[in-house]
Amino acid sequence: LSIDFLDSLNITEKIAHMIAIKNLEELKNYFHSSLRFLRKVPFYTEDYELEMEKAFETRRLHLTDFIVDQAKRHMEQQKDFRDLHDIFQDLMDRALEIGFTEEQKHRLLDLLELRKEQVRREKLEESIRALTKIQDVQELRDYWDSVKGYLLRNRPYLGSEFENLIAKRFDETMVALEARDDGTRDLGHTLPEPR
């Protein structure tokens, strides 16, 4: 003969439901309402509360890791520094609300820096390829005007070092084109820096 007690709280089912939740806000609401329910029960429930808390933290970590992975995919699609920075800043502004760990915050910062470096490199390579195809000074000036606009929009994220590197490539191309056109090297003629 054995006695089986039916647990009216059914904590295992509550934990299973919590682990299945895919939305962070819904997870928080369910966890807090479950804790409130347990605290109203007239007998000892601290062990259940600890189980619920452990399951909540595990699930929250999975969901926040998923948010970081989504951010990574979103960042990888961006070509504009402002958009990249906006994605990062939005997540950092909500970091406490979302519940990011310090490790996740550092990972997001690393993802931002890595993508910024990739975009810098892509933009530099794109400019160098375009400069090799330019055949006259006016075409170079027109291209400079379009690149200058990009540099100005992204100055807070690129810094002056990158601007100087791009401008130097344009100057070198200008010198080569002028030397080819009139047979002299006019080293004093350079393109104006972006303002």
Side-chain angles (χ1 to χ4, degrees), residues 38-131:
L38 287 173
R39 289 176 183 148
K40 288 179 184 176
V41 173
F43 53 87
Y44 179 83
T45 61
E46 280 187 31
D47 52 343
Y48 287 159
E49 291 173 31
L50 289 173
E51 278 185 64
M52 289 287 293
E53 189 173 339
K54 185 177 175 185
F56 168 76
E57 288 300 327
T58 300
R59 186 61 184 156
R60 186 186 59 77
L61 188 59
H62 283 112
L63 290 177
T64 53
D65 276 342
F66 180 73
I67 291 170
V68 171
D69 289 340
Q70 277 184 318
K72 178 184 179 194
R73 285 191 294 278
H74 198 196
M75 284 181 181
E76 287 171 347
Q77 296 170 353
Q78 303 308 310
K79 299 279 187 194
D80 191 280
F81 288 95
R82 183 173 307 201
D83 294 339
L84 259 175
H85 191 265
D86 288 348
I87 292 167
F88 173 77
Q89 196 57 53
D90 175 59
L91 288 170
M92 288 299 103
D93 290 346
R94 298 183 304 124
L96 187 60
E97 171 194 333
I98 292 171
F100 285 134
T101 63
E102 287 302 312
E103 181 183 328
Q104 289 169 327
K105 289 183 207 174
H106 288 300
R107 184 169 170 224
L108 283 167
L109 182 59
D110 290 345
L111 290 171
L112 173 69
E113 293 303 323
L114 178 65
R115 184 60 188 147
K116 279 171 47 177
E117 190 54 42
Q118 289 170 339
V119 173
R120 271 190 204 104
R121 193 169 45 252
E122 289 167 8
K123 190 63 179 175
L124 181 61
E125 289 169 1
E126 174 190 311
S127 294
I128 291 170
R129 275 193 309 275
L131 288 172

Side-chain angles (χ1 to χ4, degrees), residues 147-164:
V147 170
K148 182 171 61 172
Y150 176 86
L151 293 173
L152 288 172
R153 281 191 313 277
N154 290 287
R155 179 175 275 169
Y157 316 107
L158 286 169
S160 60
E161 184 180 323
F162 185 78
E163 280 183 12
N164 292 336

Side-chain angles (χ1 to χ4, degrees), residues 127-143:
S127 294
I128 291 170
R129 275 193 309 275
L131 288 172
T132 60
K133 295 176 184 173
I134 291 178
Q135 296 300 314
D136 64 61
V137 172
Q138 187 55 49
E139 187 181 352
L140 179 66
R141 288 175 197 226
D142 292 342
Y143 183 53

